[in-house]
Amino acid sequence: MNGVVITGRGGAGKTTLTSNLGVYFAKQKYKTIVIDGDLYLPKLGLHFGLDRPPYNLHRILMEEDLDPEMAVYEDKLSNLFILPGSTRLYDVLNVPPERLKDAIGEVMKRFALSIIDSPTGIPFDTMPLFSISRYQIIVVEVERSPIKSFEVLVKNEILKLKALGDIYGLKVGVILNKVRESREELEKVVEFLEDNVRVNILGIIPFDENVPNSINVGRPILEYNPRSPASKAFAKCGETLERWIFGKSIGTKIIDEAIEEIMERREL
């Protein structure tokens, strides 16, 4: 059982990353589940067209007699399994987080890979999930800003999230998402993260206008538009993660190639 918890600030693309990485690994024949670990703003189910599923994470936490597996749904198109949350206000307000670790831990035992979509910022109520995970991916939306502004972001958010992963002994990596920066800015960001934060850069995902459309129709972009720039980058990111999680060195060449591809697309 390999558990991956995905963290980051609001709007960075944690849920989009979770859904697409789940699809990638499911298509590689790993028995994979994606889990909505955001108890107060759950959105993962919507990425698969699961609107108000009758059984969900909130319900199994509130009703102790329910088998947690009742809230697990199989996406027939990708063979990915999904444990969604509830978007009902009553469920969100009354969910008991203290049962989270035991309920999700039982579900995770059935899968080779579990990817957890964590809440925004420091996930206090879902922190027990870090203790049953082995990896942490911090999603960073770089935005168009000078490197000094990025350094402030690192100090205020990324270092705190990494410290949380370090406390639980997780292997920590970073994915840059919605990238629109120039080559010079992007290379500075990568160099700063590698040299100062000392984390693996696992992928670089370009800004892609196709992604919001895929979310609106309830299908991850890897399936909705597999030839789009973000889809190709998610697939490459999945390949890198596969090497990272299953014990192979990822090196720096993959990141150099990702930067090169983003710049080449802009020149077309």
Side-chain angles (χ1 to χ4, degrees), residues 242-256:
E242 192 172 2
R243 299 175 68 85
W244 189 58
I245 291 172
F246 295 103
K248 298 180 182 179
S249 173
I250 60 174
T252 59
K253 183 180 178 183
I254 293 175
I255 301 305
D256 293 338

Side-chain angles (χ1 to χ4, degrees), residues 33-163:
I33 186 169
V34 291
I35 299 169
D36 199 332
D38 190 340
L39 296 180
Y40 303 109
L41 196 61
K43 296 182 293 184
L44 183 60
L46 299 177
H47 286 241
F48 296 91
L50 287 171
D51 185 18
R52 296 202 175 190
Y55 295 97
N56 50 66
L57 177 59
H58 290 71
R59 186 167 174 186
I60 63 175
L61 293 179
M62 290 188 291
E63 301 180 33
E64 295 189 33
D65 293 337
L66 281 180
D67 183 348
E69 294 186 13
M70 293 182 69
V72 175
Y73 298 82
E74 183 178 5
D75 180 53
K76 299 297 185 182
L77 295 176
S78 63
N79 296 320
L80 174 68
F81 293 85
I82 304 143
L83 176 52
S86 171
T87 57
R88 293 178 66 239
L89 181 60
Y90 174 85
D91 294 339
V92 169
L93 292 176
N94 291 281
V95 64
E98 61 272 8
R99 293 192 60 238
L100 188 64
K101 178 180 174 180
D102 291 340
I104 286 185
E106 281 301 311
V107 172
M108 289 174 63
K109 290 177 182 177
R110 291 180 46 215
F111 296 90
L113 184 64
S114 305
I115 306 175
I116 303 167
D117 183 23
S118 181
T120 296
I122 304 298
F124 291 105
D125 286 329
T126 57
M127 211 172 288
L129 297 181
F130 280 69
S131 66
I132 53 175
S133 299
R134 296 178 62 188
Y135 303 89
Q136 177 191 21
I137 299 173
I138 302 173
V139 188
V140 179
E141 183 182 3
V142 181
E143 299 180 345
R144 295 177 183 269
S145 60
I147 185 63
K148 287 185 178 178
S149 297
F150 183 73
E151 291 177 12
V152 172
L153 170 66
V154 168
K155 292 174 183 175
N156 288 342
E157 299 186 35
I158 299 175
L159 286 176
K160 292 177 183 176
L161 291 169
K162 181 179 182 296

